[in-house]
Amino acid sequence: MKLLRYGPPGAEKPGLLDASGTIRDLSGILPDIAGEALSPGGLERLAALDASGLPEVPEGTRLGTPVGGTRNFVAIGLNYADHAAESGAPVPKEPIVFLKSLNTLAGPDDNVAIPPDSHKSDWEVELAIIIGTLARRVSPEEALGHVAGYAVCNDVSEREWQLERGGTWDKGKSADGYGPVGPWLVTTDEVPDPQNLSMWLELDGKRMQDGTTRTMIFDVRTIVSYVSRFITLHPGDIITTGTPPGVGLGMKPPVYLRPGQVMRLGIEGLGVQTQRTVAA
């Protein structure tokens, strides 16, 4: 099942993508793709609906982040050994955890506004985990039971702010709109193995990243378990899990985003995002 939210920023309504590729309105069924709707029981009830009887959403309607009620937007750094190498960093012994501000959340095709004092904004295609039920200090064996589904994320990153300005990574990861998620949440029954998904990103039509979740250092179950030891995870929380090689930082010389470019990225079975960069 593919769940989504559509409409203007801040006023998104719940919806789903039916088998024909038509977006259907769920606002008469539930208030949002959030909270109890993300639990196993809530997802089971949605899956049992006759989608053909739901109102159609007009083509071209804006899509927002596919889940509401997010309290924590957690990210894992350097989770692909080949990306760590291109970044000149050692392979981590434990997951590197940082937070993206909730103001980074954006729709999958929203413009990405480059701040006026940003000179090193970069791209990162990532697999995002969407939490479905409260997870606090869960074991790796229990971890996947707390996952509602998966989505595509572009962990847009300002490398100067992240790496050259001291302190933690968070400020380089938290500019407005620097975390597009979507186009939809794909429930776990449609993603039998999250560790076997191809992923890619193109900049102005040129393939920059071409990887697979098979090369993650820490897999999904390990990440959910690990993060839940330090941060209580709630329904609607998002964990983005690291990126394969091919980011601008790793180019020789480095290549960074500028206004007027187009990023297109996707993950096998999870959909495609397209963002145009603009001046903030």
Side-chain angles (χ1 to χ4, degrees), residues 245-263:
V247 300
L249 174 68
M251 303 292 171
K252 299 190 186 329
V255 176
Y256 296 114
L257 295 168
R258 62 183 187 277
Q261 295 184 291
V262 175
M263 291 179 284

Side-chain angles (χ1 to χ4, degrees), residues 155-225:
D155 177 23
V156 186
S157 308
E158 215 300 339
R159 301 302 189 188
E160 180 187 353
W161 303 353
Q162 176 189 357
L163 302 171
E164 301 175 32
R165 300 285 293 273
T168 65
W169 287 7
D170 300 47
K171 64 180 176 286
K173 299 283 191 170
S174 290
D176 290 351
Y178 268 34
V181 178
W184 26 75
L185 180 166
V186 182
T187 51
T188 56
D189 58 299
E190 292 192 12
V191 189
D193 184 3
Q195 305 308 145
N196 189 30
L197 303 174
S198 60
M199 55 203 307
W200 53 273
L201 181 144
E202 296 173 351
L203 180 65
D204 292 337
K206 180 181 178 181
R207 185 65 59 101
M208 309 301 282
Q209 292 186 273
D210 208 344
T212 170
T213 58
R214 289 194 301 273
T215 62
M216 278 186 184
I217 299 167
F218 304 104
D219 63 12
V220 168
R221 66 176 67 244
T222 300
I223 289 169
V224 173
S225 173

Side-chain angles (χ1 to χ4, degrees), residues 52-271:
S52 65
L54 298 172
E56 292 187 23
V57 175
E59 285 189 38
T61 299
R62 173 190 176 269
L63 298 182
T65 303
V67 64
T70 303
R71 299 192 192 187
N72 297 294
F73 191 0
V74 183
I76 306 299
L78 300 175
N79 195 32
Y80 290 71
D82 35 12
H83 172 56
E86 73 171 352
S87 302
V91 174
K93 296 180 179 178
E94 294 188 32
I96 295 174
V97 178
F98 61 93
L99 297 176
K100 290 178 74 75
S101 173
L102 295 181
N103 67 283
T104 65
L105 288 170
D109 301 325
D110 289 351
N111 290 341
V112 171
I114 308 293
D117 54 345
S118 167
H119 306 290
K120 296 184 179 180
S121 285
D122 202 351
W123 56 84
E124 295 190 4
V125 59
E126 304 199 4
L127 173 70
I129 304 164
I130 311 295
I131 298 299
T133 56
L134 187 92
R136 181 187 293 119
R137 296 185 293 275
V138 302
S139 70
E141 292 74 25
E142 301 169 314
L144 294 185
H146 294 271
V147 175
Y150 303 94
V152 182
C153 177
N154 189 356
D155 177 23
V156 186
S157 308
E158 215 300 339
R159 301 302 189 188
E160 180 187 353
W161 303 353
Q162 176 189 357
L163 302 171
E164 301 175 32
R165 300 285 293 273
T168 65
W169 287 7
D170 300 47
K171 64 180 176 286
K173 299 283 191 170
S174 290
D176 290 351
Y178 268 34
V181 178
W184 26 75
L185 180 166
V186 182
T187 51
T188 56
D189 58 299
E190 292 192 12
V191 189
D193 184 3
Q195 305 308 145
N196 189 30
L197 303 174
S198 60
M199 55 203 307
W200 53 273
L201 181 144
E202 296 173 351
L203 180 65
D204 292 337
K206 180 181 178 181
R207 185 65 59 101
M208 309 301 282
Q209 292 186 273
D210 208 344
T212 170
T213 58
R214 289 194 301 273
T215 62
M216 278 186 184
I217 299 167
F218 304 104
D219 63 12
V220 168
R221 66 176 67 244
T222 300
I223 289 169
V224 173
S225 173
Y226 186 87
V227 171
S228 78
R229 292 167 55 187
F230 308 102
I231 302 170
T232 297
L233 298 169
H234 299 266
D237 283 357
I238 300 169
I239 308 175
T240 190
T241 58
T243 198
V247 300
L249 174 68
M251 303 292 171
K252 299 190 186 329
V255 176
Y256 296 114
L257 295 168
R258 62 183 187 277
Q261 295 184 291
V262 175
M263 291 179 284
R264 189 168 181 269
L265 58 147
I267 298 178
E268 180 183 355
L270 303 185

